[in-house]
Amino acid sequence: MTISDTMLSDIRVLEPLSSAAQRLLTLLGSSDYELEDVVAIVQSDLALTARLLRFTNSAAFGLGREVDSVEEAVRFAGDKIITGLALEGSATRVYASELSAYGCEGGALWRHSLITALFAREFAQRSRDRSKSGLAFAAGLLHDVGKVVLAGHMPASPSELLTDREVPDFEMLEQRATGADHSELGAQVAEHWELPRAIVESIRHHHHPSESAEDLRAIVHAVHLGDFMAMMAGLGTGADDLQYQLDPDYEAWIDLEPSELDRLSWRVREEFDQLISSLEES
Ligand SMILES: [Fe+2]
Ligand SMILES: [Fe+2]
């Protein structure tokens, strides 16, 4: 793979995450932390505090009473949702991008990332390494961040790429068109943002989890399967939807009864719909 100098400089100029978002992502990676740690980070960021209070007070969040303290808001929203709020607020250019090279309209990358994160958290909780479910959520939110960089280097329309029918997956098309793919570029973005190794590794191998480091393979499979389920739910990012292979090895890492999958998908979809309407309202 060849990553060009212009791609590298695009990575370097990508707006940095807010300090609160970065600290929350790192916190999710530590094995034990307290609610007060999350409260302290939220309170250090005025915009995030305001956003969280608007979110927990939105009618769609459905508490039915006013929440006016950060402690209470943190308890109701939960650390993972707060990380989502911090990331969405901090990396607006990333998530709002319209990726015309993928035929992906503005906002679709955010919706795809959020539902992938919700699925990834569920799968990580059923995986061989349950301690990483918080990180799986964060990695799910960021797994396709490389598309934002790569889209600027791809042909303007996806139809030019999709004429090549002989390739096993969309990343091969990206490599043929640009010399790089969105997983590797995304991993480099996460390295540039100094995010935990589990997030970097999950992004780098989310389409080929069997190639990831063994100590992190459970979380990488959780993100991989989450991404796949997001696409199956009709929440992909455009031209590359379902243009990837599902790695059957996930069964060795995630304990999932096929009969459970329908119920789980339904629950995630409900959570997703509620989150999206609370976010739109806040
Ligand atoms: Fe991807
Ligand atoms: Fe994806």
Side-chain angles (χ1 to χ4, degrees):
M1 197 175 322
T2 352
I3 296 184
S4 66
D5 289 347
T6 44
M7 286 179 195
L8 285 176
S9 68
D10 287 355
I11 289 171
R12 272 183 243 115
V13 299
L14 209 59
E15 66 183 314
L17 291 180
S18 69
S19 145
Q22 197 158 14
R23 283 159 63 209
L24 281 165
L25 287 170
T26 308
L27 190 71
L28 291 180
S30 59
S31 50
D32 64 319
Y33 56 91
E34 306 289 334
L35 188 79
E36 294 81 69
D37 300 324
V38 180
V39 172
I41 295 175
V42 173
Q43 278 173 333
S44 72
D45 186 318
L46 264 181
L48 178 58
T49 301
R51 191 114 208 276
L52 174 64
L53 289 171
R54 270 202 311 274
F55 175 77
T56 45
N57 281 306
S58 67
F61 194 69
L63 277 180
R65 66 177 185 81
E66 201 170 326
V67 176
D68 51 14
S69 84
V70 175
E71 284 87 347
E72 220 183 356
V74 166
R75 205 165 334 108
F76 283 127
D79 45 10
K80 286 146 202 116
I81 298 309
I82 292 166
T83 307
L85 286 175
L87 262 181
E88 194 212 8
S90 149
T92 38
R93 203 202 108 197
V94 167
Y95 289 117
S97 295
E98 182 189 327
L99 309 173
S100 56
Y102 291 87
C104 172
E105 59 187 40
L109 180 62
W110 167 245
R111 290 190 292 277
H112 169 69
S113 305
L114 183 61
I115 197 161
T116 300
L118 292 169
F119 272 119
R121 177 183 58 179
E122 294 286 339
F123 295 139
Q125 279 164 352
R126 290 164 176 76
S127 78
R128 280 207 223 160
D129 184 359
R130 283 151 212 239
S131 69
K132 298 222 167 44
S133 65
L135 277 174
F137 184 83
L141 283 176
L142 286 164
H143 75 285
D144 273 338
V145 67
K147 287 181 180 174
V148 179
V149 176
L150 195 65
H153 299 265
M154 302 241 287
S157 151
S159 53
E160 285 178 49
L161 286 179
L162 290 167
T163 50
D164 190 346
R165 291 255 146 237
E166 308 225 316
V167 293
D169 69 14
F170 198 86
E171 285 208 307
M172 198 65 86
L173 291 176
E174 292 175 342
Q175 284 181 25
R176 285 197 183 167
T178 69
D181 61 52
H182 74 272
S183 299
E184 180 53 34
L185 285 183
Q188 299 216 9
V189 170
E191 275 167 355
H192 175 62
W193 284 343
E194 298 177 0
L195 299 181
R197 181 175 154 256
I199 296 183
V200 174
E201 190 76 359
S202 296
I203 297 175
R204 179 167 281 130
H205 298 291
H206 73 271
H207 289 298
H208 302 282
S210 296
E211 293 168 16
S212 60
E214 200 158 345
D215 64 322
L216 294 171
R217 205 165 294 165
I219 173 178
V220 183
H221 267 291
V223 175
H224 170 68
L225 193 56
D227 183 33
F228 205 82
M229 292 301 295
M231 291 189 270
M232 296 284 283
L235 287 159
T237 54
D240 66 334
D241 277 357
L242 297 170
Q243 303 280 338
Y244 304 97
Q245 312 288 331
L246 177 66
D247 183 340
D249 213 27
Y250 78 82
E251 289 180 4
W253 295 88
I254 297 166
D255 186 15
L256 193 66
E257 292 294 323
S259 59
E260 206 188 346
L261 201 55
D262 268 357
R263 221 170 338 117
L264 186 146
S265 302
W266 187 77
R267 208 177 58 239
V268 164
R269 184 65 201 228
E270 245 197 353
E271 198 180 349
F272 169 80
D273 288 340
Q274 194 216 10
L275 272 173
I276 287 287
S277 45
S278 313
L279 282 167
E280 277 167 6
E281 207 185 298
S282 64

